[in-house]
Amino acid sequence: ETGVTQSPTHLIKTRGQQVTLRCSSQSGHNTVSWYQQALGQGPQFIFQYYREEENGRGNFPPRFSGLQFPNYSSELNVNALELDDSALYLCASSLGPTGELFFGEGSRLTVL
Amino acid sequence: DAKTTQPTSMDCAEGRAANLPCNHSTISGNEYVYWYRQIHSQGPQYIIHGLKNNETNEMASLIITEDRKSSTLILPHATLRDTAVYYCIATNAGNNRKLIWGLGTSLAVNP
């Protein structure tokens, strides 16, 4: 148990729709990082939020956006869903941008 | 971040030590070696990290060669619950947010 919770755990969307994934960070952690993990691959960094500001972004298009709230929980939004967006989306919280990452169990998104 | 190379899969007998190798020949002086593991359908779990010296914690030991071009993660007494994909990542601690993950090593611990 890492204290990081993600919701929903599973969801199915159709191409073109929009999705919002949520993450509650571990108590005391002020940084949240989001990763996308396709089947059989390692996680790929999407972006990080530190004290409500984006603090680094990976090679993902602008239709992937995020938000961090004053309580340090976070959302990942994906617009105009594509089939290739089907993946496990992982949220990790840390104490600061360089702290150890504590991952949630992920949200598995299927796009049909 | 330095690229790492790991074997695709390994087997280990329960109760024996599991030694997982990782090559990071292009690692720079300020890059750490991190190990995470991912048990099927769960989020990754931090195991250990190091810079130059060997490190040990309650989960594992990390042995880094003197030239820092390779390292070995040691699980001293593997159990069935250690069956997982193990990821070795070389990264500047300041870029911890941008960990670059490869495919890892799939470790199967057999009874």
Side-chain angles (χ1 to χ4, degrees):
Chain A
E1 284 293 329
T2 62
V4 179
T5 57
Q6 293 186 243
S7 62
T9 54
H10 295 82
L11 70 165
I12 300 174
K13 293 284 188 178
T14 56
R15 215 167 27 169
Q17 284 189 312
Q18 178 266 342
V19 68
T20 297
L21 307 178
R22 295 178 176 82
C23 173
S24 293
S25 57
Q26 187 181 105
S27 177
H29 285 184
N30 55 15
T31 305
V32 172
S33 303
W34 286 93
Y35 287 80
Q36 180 196 65
Q37 186 174 25
L39 203 59
Q41 304 294 315
Q44 286 196 63
F45 174 75
I46 303 175
F47 44 56
Q48 182 189 67
Y49 279 84
Y50 170 54
R51 293 183 175 177
E52 303 179 59
E53 301 269 339
E54 187 178 290
N55 185 45
R57 187 180 181 93
N59 189 26
F60 281 82
R63 60 189 184 84
F64 285 78
S65 63
L67 199 58
Q68 187 177 32
F69 300 99
N71 66 356
Y72 302 129
S73 65
S74 177
E75 284 182 356
L76 164 66
N77 299 291
V78 187
N79 293 323
L81 284 168
E82 300 176 359
L83 298 179
D84 285 347
D85 295 334
S86 295
L88 180 68
Y89 288 85
L90 294 161
C91 162
S93 76
S94 59
L95 185 59
T98 61
E100 305 319 322
L101 299 177
F102 293 83
F103 284 85
E105 298 302 312
S107 294
R108 184 162 296 283
L109 171 65
T110 301
V111 182
L112 302 176
Chain B
D1 290 348
K3 179 181 165 64
T4 60
T5 306
Q6 300 177 252
T8 304
S9 63
M10 293 183 65
D11 286 290
C12 177
E14 189 178 18
R16 305 298 293 268
N19 298 286
L20 292 91
C22 178
N23 284 317
H24 31 79
S25 58
T26 60
I27 197 169
S28 61
N30 61 352
E31 287 184 316
Y32 288 74
V33 178
Y34 279 79
W35 284 84
Y36 283 80
R37 73 179 182 184
Q38 188 172 25
I39 296 170
H40 182 61
S41 297
Q42 297 184 18
Q45 177 189 24
Y46 166 80
I47 302 173
I48 199 167
H49 75 281
L51 182 64
K52 294 181 187 177
N53 300 321
N54 298 337
E55 302 287 344
T56 296
N57 63 21
E58 65 279 2
M59 286 184 69
S61 294
L62 174 60
I63 308 298
I64 302 174
T65 58
E66 196 169 334
D67 63 9
R68 302 189 69 240
K69 292 185 177 181
S70 66
S71 60
T72 301
L73 178 75
I74 301 172
L75 307 178
H77 305 286
T79 70
L80 299 179
R81 287 192 299 271
D82 292 322
T83 293
V85 177
Y86 287 77
Y87 295 96
C88 167
I89 303 161
T91 184
N92 184 306
N95 280 335
N96 195 18
R97 62 187 180 274
K98 269 192 183 179
L99 298 181
I100 298 175
W101 306 62
L103 298 178
T105 296
S106 180
L107 174 69
V109 180
N110 305 307

